[in-house]
Amino acid sequence: MIATPKSLAIEHLEAFRKVVGHSAVFVDKEVLSNYAHDETEDLHFLPDVVIKPSSAQEVSAVLTICNQYGIPVTPRGAGTGLSGGALPHLGGVLLSIERMNKIIDIDERNLQVITESGVITEVLQEAVKSKRLFYPPDPSSRGSCMIGGNISENSGGPKAVKYGVVKDYVMNLEVVLPTGEIIWTGANVLKNATGYNLTQLIVGSEGTLGIVTKAVLKLIPLPKYDLLMLVPFRDPVKACAAVSAIFMCGYTPSALEFMERDALEFAMRFIDNCIVPIGDDVQAHLLIEVDGNDVDVLMREIEGISEIVMQFDCGEILFAEDAQQKAELWKLRRRVAEAVKANSIYKEEDTVVPRAELPLLLKGVKEIGKKYGFHSVCYGHAGDGNLHVNIIKGDLTDEQWNGSLKKGIVEIFELVKTLGGTISGEHGIGLVQKEYLPIVFEETQMRLMKQIKKIFDPNNILNAGKIFD
């Protein structure tokens, strides 16, 4: 049984204030409005109260109260998610981890870092970089998203193609369970075959099983050099085909990103940057990076990759000449999603398939778009087979947008499954994608997941209604 907003009484607010202090409990509408949305479309849900604890013990006390009285709790990092995971659609408590923002220890001897979950991802990356260490997961929102949110969504980013996603760097987690109990999920070691892997169960669970308050993350040595190239293609399907060819020839780029023409043009207008001349016949680009410790080896890799992409009808390749040009090219790629959102009302689908099937996925998306009358702008982490399909409302009527478009989305997801993929690579299911889960999961899988949720959260207070009802 889930509590309604009316069940949040004055005595509950007073109990919260005793735990975290009056200054960390907010009920004024202006603050509530700031936490009523994330980056998912245009959805807004007001919480009844925003609470900002500063420790695992305070989180525990808040959850104990909420569990006792059946008050819904929505955990939140920076609110940069794209599946509605941080939306307080049931009202109740919005619990923000933003005050838990300390990097506790960078262990250079063991190549690991202990951090609180409210640390901004880029802040952590820069802190370890100053010690010549590297934390590779780098979602586009790394300048604002938080480590806790990254863990909850198992975030990826451009570097995932070579270095993996968040799950590959999480060694141990301090987690507060919905019942208020505080646990560590594993050990600060590289190998662990001791019981069930609770750490990896929490990673990607979208804040439905517990709230991460601290994390022990693996680090690696920072590569000394990187080279970057932007390759234009006359045919976007051929650009996708080039991706698999690069790997088949033995190369593993540190990033391999795909952008359709519209995506790059939107980004260039959005940040007022004309660094890339786009020929009239160019329909897509691949942004390809290699990194390592021997610049001569990297030069040979870039030359080899250049020879491969030339077989797929590419145009003149742009090689980044210096750090500033690299930064400008990466800025374009990282701002694409924001640029698309600023251009039009849109829906973003986070599809992923085996990388060799990427050409068929892109071709199928465009055919489905023609069938249902919608225009899509596609970009993503091509090296992982992860294609973000942004469906633009444009001239679609509200009836089409809220009605027949859903049939098109279902067909896209059915195509993804046919190609051996799934319906989310890194954005999660959250609130807006849960109706599509039966496309990729059978009843047995759904039942097991619901039973896991019940064990962790017997009163269904924590991020209830996310992933499944």
Side-chain angles (χ1 to χ4, degrees):
M1 182 68 177
I2 290 296
T4 64
K6 291 181 181 178
S7 66
L8 187 58
I10 292 175
E11 54 263 34
H12 300 141
L13 295 176
E14 288 305 313
F16 296 144
R17 290 181 178 120
K18 287 180 181 178
V19 170
V20 300
H22 283 252
S23 62
V25 177
F26 303 85
V27 293
D28 56 294
K29 191 169 183 179
E30 183 178 352
V31 174
L32 299 183
S33 296
N34 290 336
Y35 292 84
H37 60 88
D38 57 11
E39 293 301 317
T40 308
E41 300 172 17
D42 56 352
L43 302 176
H44 289 74
F45 301 93
L46 279 177
D48 293 296
V49 59
V50 171
I51 302 176
K52 301 180 181 181
S54 62
S55 68
Q57 289 69 33
E58 289 184 358
V59 174
S60 170
V62 170
L63 287 182
T64 299
I65 295 167
C66 293
N67 190 56
Q68 179 180 353
Y69 294 102
I71 300 169
V73 180
T74 303
R76 180 184 173 101
T80 59
L82 292 163
S83 61
L87 294 176
H89 68 120
L90 298 173
V93 171
L94 188 293
L95 192 149
S96 171
I97 62 171
E98 63 193 89
R99 292 177 63 205
M100 292 183 280
N101 58 4
K102 299 181 184 65
I103 298 174
I104 297 169
D105 180 49
I106 300 174
D107 183 348
E108 297 176 68
R109 292 189 311 137
N110 289 304
L111 297 185
Q112 57 185 240
V113 58
I114 303 175
T115 178
E116 291 186 322
S117 56
V119 173
I120 301 294
T121 303
E122 190 171 25
V123 171
L124 179 75
Q125 289 175 323
E126 291 301 316
V128 302
K129 185 178 180 179
S130 68
K131 300 180 181 295
R132 299 298 301 170
L133 297 173
F134 186 31
Y135 176 68
D138 63 337
S140 295
S141 57
R142 65 177 183 170
S144 55
C145 64
M146 296 176 183
I147 291 297
N150 293 172
I151 291 169
S152 294
E153 299 295 335
N154 192 21
S155 300
K159 303 291 187 184
V161 62
K162 180 177 181 179
Y163 294 106
V165 297
V166 165
K167 71 177 179 63
D168 300 303
Y169 294 86
V170 177
M171 303 167 70
N172 199 0
L173 296 171
E174 181 185 67
V175 178
V176 183
L177 301 179
T179 53
E181 297 162 282
I182 302 174
I183 66 168
W184 281 93
T185 59
N188 302 0
V189 293
L190 295 172
K191 297 171 68 176
N192 188 342
T194 312
Y196 293 133
N197 195 333
L198 296 178
T199 303
Q200 293 300 324
L201 181 58
I202 294 295
V203 175
S205 63
E206 303 188 38
T208 62
L209 303 181
I211 297 177
V212 175
T213 48
K214 293 187 184 74
V216 182
L217 305 174
K218 181 179 72 173
L219 305 173
I220 61 176
L222 182 71
K224 294 179 181 178
Y225 307 105
D226 60 75
L227 301 177
L228 186 65
M229 59 196 289
L230 185 70
V231 187
F233 292 84
R234 298 173 183 89
D235 183 341
V237 174
K238 289 184 178 179
C240 290
V243 173
S244 181
I246 290 170
F247 288 89
M248 288 174 65
C249 290
Y251 299 104
T252 303
S254 51
L256 208 172
E257 301 289 295
F258 171 82
M259 293 176 285
E260 274 195 305
R261 181 190 182 99
D262 285 352
L264 193 58
E265 287 186 336
F266 285 170
M268 289 171 67
R269 288 198 299 268
F270 185 72
I271 63 176
D272 192 24
N273 186 328
C274 298
I275 185 176
V276 182
I278 304 178
D280 293 339
D281 60 342
V282 171
Q283 297 301 316
H285 288 81
L286 291 180
L287 184 64
I288 306 172
E289 180 192 81
V290 296
D291 70 359
N293 296 318
D294 188 325
V295 72
D296 293 329
V297 170
L298 298 183
M299 287 297 299
R300 289 195 294 271
E301 288 185 0
I302 281 289
E303 290 169 1
I305 292 172
S306 299
E307 292 176 3
I308 294 167
V309 297
M310 287 177 185
Q311 301 171 29
F312 292 86
D313 195 23
C314 74
E316 184 176 353
I317 299 173
L318 172 64
F319 297 93
E321 296 179 354
D322 51 36
Q324 181 179 350
Q325 197 168 43
K326 291 175 188 175
E328 289 176 349
L329 287 173
W330 272 119
K331 185 178 181 181
L332 280 173
R333 169 60 189 93
R334 292 186 183 280
R335 300 296 290 275
V336 164
E338 195 177 354
V340 172
K341 185 173 184 178
N343 185 76
S344 172
I345 296 174
Y346 79 112
K347 293 181 184 292
E348 180 170 355
E349 309 304 337
D350 174 39
T351 62
V352 60
V353 295
R355 71 167 71 95
E357 310 303 330
L358 201 54
L360 291 177
L361 174 59
L362 182 65
K363 184 178 179 181
V365 166
K366 297 304 178 181
E367 290 173 351
I368 293 168
K370 288 180 182 179
K371 178 179 177 180
Y372 289 95
F374 65 78
H375 175 64
S376 63
V377 178
C378 298
Y379 59 90
H381 313 303
D384 299 323
N386 188 189
L387 188 70
H388 300 319
V389 180
N390 287 258
I391 300 172
I392 306 300
K393 184 177 182 185
D395 296 328
L396 293 179
T397 65
D398 288 343
E399 183 178 357
Q400 290 173 307
W401 186 249
N402 298 312
S404 61
L405 175 60
K406 188 171 291 186
K407 296 179 182 178
I409 294 173
V410 168
E411 287 195 20
I412 289 173
F413 288 157
E414 288 174 343
L415 170 63
V416 165
K417 183 181 179 182
T418 300
L419 295 174
T422 193
I423 65 175
S424 179
E426 58 185 8
H427 292 169
I429 299 302
L431 186 65
V432 298
Q433 300 294 66
K434 60 184 180 179
E435 64 183 296
Y436 303 114
L437 269 188
I439 295 174
V440 292
F441 286 143
E442 298 175 357
E443 175 58 31
T444 300
Q445 296 158 305
M446 295 291 289
R447 174 172 52 81
L448 287 170
M449 288 191 289
K450 290 178 181 180
Q451 289 173 342
I452 291 170
K453 168 67 171 173
K454 183 72 173 177
I455 291 170
F456 275 79
D457 188 6
N459 293 320
N460 199 25
I461 65 161
L462 188 59
N463 231 9
K466 308 295 172 61
I467 305 181
F468 38 71
D469 291 322

